Amino acid sequence: AKSATVHFTTDGSLPSSNSSQYDAPIEVSKSLEIKAQCFLEGEKMGRTWQQSIEMHKAAGKKISLTSNPHPKYSGGGNGSIVNGVLGNDERYGDAEWLGFEGKDMEAVIDFGGVETFNEVVFRFFKGEGQWIYLPKSVEVLVSENGKDFKPLAKQTDIGGETKVADVQVKLEETTARFLKVVVRNFGVIPEGRQGGGNGAWLFVDEVRVW
């Protein structure tokens, strides 16, 4: 029997049976869109799979969290918030979103060497009917040694009308090896709302550094 093969493209075009065959991990060094299609004897099988990857400056770097996410919403592991892949705009249960129940998220990213950047973009989920609230604040700090951190910027006016909020923190051009981000949980849900009196959930997707 003939076996099916998977062919892919990285330039946004639809794959054909003449496109590169997927037989080893795809090396990613810049932002791209991967599209893959299964073929059997030259005929398409099933739907085209696609995934955008944003190679920001923290993508693929080492990350450590002070508190781990809730086991039920631990995504693809803590590294999923710096893997260059954005979570689903409509659902918070996929492998990219990390959920924290009543807790802050504090993470240290180790660039592995000195890096220069001037913007950090956070991505949060908002679903107040499911007890998921945008954070109270986000803070960005830097360090040369991974122990002594200097605060750079803090933002407290975090809002959004849609299910996903992108929060941009603009910085003066900064050079550092370690970047710390502190995301403060909304806190206790007000009485009269769904989940009133309980600690809010915080859902974090990618933390992008540019």
PDB file of all heavy atoms in Angstrom, residues 71-87:
ATOM      1  N   PRO A  71      -2.304  23.160  37.144  1.00  0.00           N
ATOM      2  CA  PRO A  71      -2.030  21.956  36.338  1.00  0.00           C
ATOM      3  C   PRO A  71      -3.006  21.742  35.183  1.00  0.00           C
ATOM      4  O   PRO A  71      -2.624  21.234  34.124  1.00  0.00           O
ATOM      5  CB  PRO A  71      -2.143  20.809  37.358  1.00  0.00           C
ATOM      6  CG  PRO A  71      -1.877  21.452  38.676  1.00  0.00           C
ATOM      7  CD  PRO A  71      -2.398  22.854  38.582  1.00  0.00           C
ATOM      8  N   LYS A  72      -4.250  22.159  35.359  1.00  0.00           N
ATOM      9  CA  LYS A  72      -5.260  21.978  34.311  1.00  0.00           C
ATOM     10  C   LYS A  72      -5.015  22.910  33.125  1.00  0.00           C
ATOM     11  O   LYS A  72      -5.435  22.630  32.004  1.00  0.00           O
ATOM     12  CB  LYS A  72      -6.654  22.230  34.900  1.00  0.00           C
ATOM     13  CG  LYS A  72      -7.796  21.879  33.958  1.00  0.00           C
ATOM     14  CD  LYS A  72      -9.137  22.090  34.636  1.00  0.00           C
ATOM     15  CE  LYS A  72     -10.281  21.835  33.650  1.00  0.00           C
ATOM     16  NZ  LYS A  72     -11.600  22.136  34.241  1.00  0.00           N
ATOM     17  N   TYR A  73      -4.337  24.020  33.390  1.00  0.00           N
ATOM     18  CA  TYR A  73      -4.090  25.007  32.333  1.00  0.00           C
ATOM     19  C   TYR A  73      -2.605  25.343  32.265  1.00  0.00           C
ATOM     20  O   TYR A  73      -2.205  26.501  32.351  1.00  0.00           O
ATOM     21  CB  TYR A  73      -4.915  26.273  32.583  1.00  0.00           C
ATOM     22  CG  TYR A  73      -6.403  26.019  32.545  1.00  0.00           C
ATOM     23  CD1 TYR A  73      -7.169  26.041  33.704  1.00  0.00           C
ATOM     24  CD2 TYR A  73      -7.051  25.744  31.338  1.00  0.00           C
ATOM     25  CE1 TYR A  73      -8.535  25.806  33.669  1.00  0.00           C
ATOM     26  CE2 TYR A  73      -8.415  25.497  31.286  1.00  0.00           C
ATOM     27  CZ  TYR A  73      -9.152  25.533  32.463  1.00  0.00           C
ATOM     28  OH  TYR A  73     -10.496  25.288  32.415  1.00  0.00           O
ATOM     29  N   SER A  74      -1.801  24.295  32.107  1.00  0.00           N
ATOM     30  CA  SER A  74      -0.345  24.480  32.060  1.00  0.00           C
ATOM     31  C   SER A  74       0.181  24.457  30.627  1.00  0.00           C
ATOM     32  O   SER A  74       1.385  24.425  30.409  1.00  0.00           O
ATOM     33  CB  SER A  74       0.353  23.414  32.897  1.00  0.00           C
ATOM     34  OG  SER A  74      -0.019  22.118  32.468  1.00  0.00           O
ATOM     35  N   GLY A  75      -0.739  24.491  29.650  1.00  0.00           N
ATOM     36  CA  GLY A  75      -0.371  24.568  28.242  1.00  0.00           C
ATOM     37  C   GLY A  75       0.647  23.518  27.844  1.00  0.00           C
ATOM     38  O   GLY A  75       0.601  22.368  28.295  1.00  0.00           O
ATOM     39  N   GLY A  76       1.601  23.923  27.037  1.00  0.00           N
ATOM     40  CA  GLY A  76       2.674  23.030  26.622  1.00  0.00           C
ATOM     41  C   GLY A  76       3.884  23.183  27.514  1.00  0.00           C
ATOM     42  O   GLY A  76       5.007  22.930  27.067  1.00  0.00           O
ATOM     43  N   GLY A  77       3.669  23.604  28.758  1.00  0.00           N
ATOM     44  CA  GLY A  77       4.770  23.861  29.674  1.00  0.00           C
ATOM     45  C   GLY A  77       5.061  25.352  29.748  1.00  0.00           C
ATOM     46  O   GLY A  77       4.579  26.136  28.923  1.00  0.00           O
ATOM     47  N   ASN A  78       5.860  25.748  30.740  1.00  0.00           N
ATOM     48  CA  ASN A  78       6.120  27.169  30.956  1.00  0.00           C
ATOM     49  C   ASN A  78       6.759  27.846  29.749  1.00  0.00           C
ATOM     50  O   ASN A  78       6.553  29.036  29.504  1.00  0.00           O
ATOM     51  CB  ASN A  78       7.006  27.356  32.189  1.00  0.00           C
ATOM     52  CG  ASN A  78       6.293  26.953  33.477  1.00  0.00           C
ATOM     53  OD1 ASN A  78       5.081  26.730  33.476  1.00  0.00           O
ATOM     54  ND2 ASN A  78       7.029  26.849  34.556  1.00  0.00           N
ATOM     55  N   GLY A  79       7.523  27.091  28.973  1.00  0.00           N
ATOM     56  CA  GLY A  79       8.172  27.663  27.800  1.00  0.00           C
ATOM     57  C   GLY A  79       7.214  28.086  26.710  1.00  0.00           C
ATOM     58  O   GLY A  79       7.602  28.775  25.763  1.00  0.00           O
ATOM     59  N   SER A  80       5.930  27.709  26.837  1.00  0.00           N
ATOM     60  CA  SER A  80       4.980  28.044  25.781  1.00  0.00           C
ATOM     61  C   SER A  80       4.708  29.548  25.704  1.00  0.00           C
ATOM     62  O   SER A  80       4.183  30.025  24.694  1.00  0.00           O
ATOM     63  CB  SER A  80       3.666  27.275  25.961  1.00  0.00           C
ATOM     64  OG  SER A  80       3.045  27.603  27.176  1.00  0.00           O
ATOM     65  N   ILE A  81       5.086  30.314  26.738  1.00  0.00           N
ATOM     66  CA  ILE A  81       4.858  31.758  26.635  1.00  0.00           C
ATOM     67  C   ILE A  81       6.005  32.485  25.933  1.00  0.00           C
ATOM     68  O   ILE A  81       5.927  33.689  25.719  1.00  0.00           O
ATOM     69  CB  ILE A  81       4.551  32.416  27.999  1.00  0.00           C
ATOM     70  CG1 ILE A  81       5.665  32.216  29.012  1.00  0.00           C
ATOM     71  CG2 ILE A  81       3.226  31.945  28.536  1.00  0.00           C
ATOM     72  CD1 ILE A  81       5.460  33.014  30.282  1.00  0.00           C
ATOM     73  N   VAL A  82       7.068  31.740  25.588  1.00  0.00           N
ATOM     74  CA  VAL A  82       8.136  32.347  24.775  1.00  0.00           C
ATOM     75  C   VAL A  82       8.547  31.388  23.645  1.00  0.00           C
ATOM     76  O   VAL A  82       9.717  31.229  23.343  1.00  0.00           O
ATOM     77  CB  VAL A  82       9.379  32.740  25.621  1.00  0.00           C
ATOM     78  CG1 VAL A  82       9.103  33.971  26.452  1.00  0.00           C
ATOM     79  CG2 VAL A  82       9.858  31.589  26.486  1.00  0.00           C
ATOM     80  N   ASN A  83       7.548  30.763  23.009  1.00  0.00           N
ATOM     81  CA  ASN A  83       7.875  29.822  21.924  1.00  0.00           C
ATOM     82  C   ASN A  83       7.563  30.381  20.542  1.00  0.00           C
ATOM     83  O   ASN A  83       7.688  29.687  19.539  1.00  0.00           O
ATOM     84  CB  ASN A  83       7.169  28.474  22.128  1.00  0.00           C
ATOM     85  CG  ASN A  83       5.653  28.579  22.033  1.00  0.00           C
ATOM     86  OD1 ASN A  83       5.103  29.676  21.870  1.00  0.00           O
ATOM     87  ND2 ASN A  83       4.972  27.460  22.147  1.00  0.00           N
ATOM     88  N   GLY A  84       7.141  31.643  20.488  1.00  0.00           N
ATOM     89  CA  GLY A  84       6.868  32.266  19.185  1.00  0.00           C
ATOM     90  C   GLY A  84       5.520  31.927  18.591  1.00  0.00           C
ATOM     91  O   GLY A  84       5.196  32.384  17.498  1.00  0.00           O
ATOM     92  N   VAL A  85       4.714  31.128  19.314  1.00  0.00           N
ATOM     93  CA  VAL A  85       3.412  30.693  18.798  1.00  0.00           C
ATOM     94  C   VAL A  85       2.302  31.331  19.633  1.00  0.00           C
ATOM     95  O   VAL A  85       2.303  31.224  20.858  1.00  0.00           O
ATOM     96  CB  VAL A  85       3.281  29.158  18.848  1.00  0.00           C
ATOM     97  CG1 VAL A  85       1.916  28.717  18.323  1.00  0.00           C
ATOM     98  CG2 VAL A  85       4.400  28.505  18.041  1.00  0.00           C
ATOM     99  N   LEU A  86       1.374  32.008  18.962  1.00  0.00           N
ATOM    100  CA  LEU A  86       0.267  32.658  19.660  1.00  0.00           C
ATOM    101  C   LEU A  86      -0.865  31.674  19.902  1.00  0.00           C
ATOM    102  O   LEU A  86      -1.152  30.805  19.078  1.00  0.00           O
ATOM    103  CB  LEU A  86      -0.248  33.855  18.855  1.00  0.00           C
ATOM    104  CG  LEU A  86       0.762  34.965  18.561  1.00  0.00           C
ATOM    105  CD1 LEU A  86       0.061  36.144  17.901  1.00  0.00           C
ATOM    106  CD2 LEU A  86       1.484  35.417  19.825  1.00  0.00           C
ATOM    107  N   GLY A  87      -1.532  31.841  21.049  1.00  0.00           N
ATOM    108  CA  GLY A  87      -2.654  30.984  21.402  1.00  0.00           C
ATOM    109  C   GLY A  87      -3.910  31.350  20.617  1.00  0.00           C
ATOM    110  O   GLY A  87      -3.983  32.378  19.941  1.00  0.00           O
TER     111      GLY A  87
END
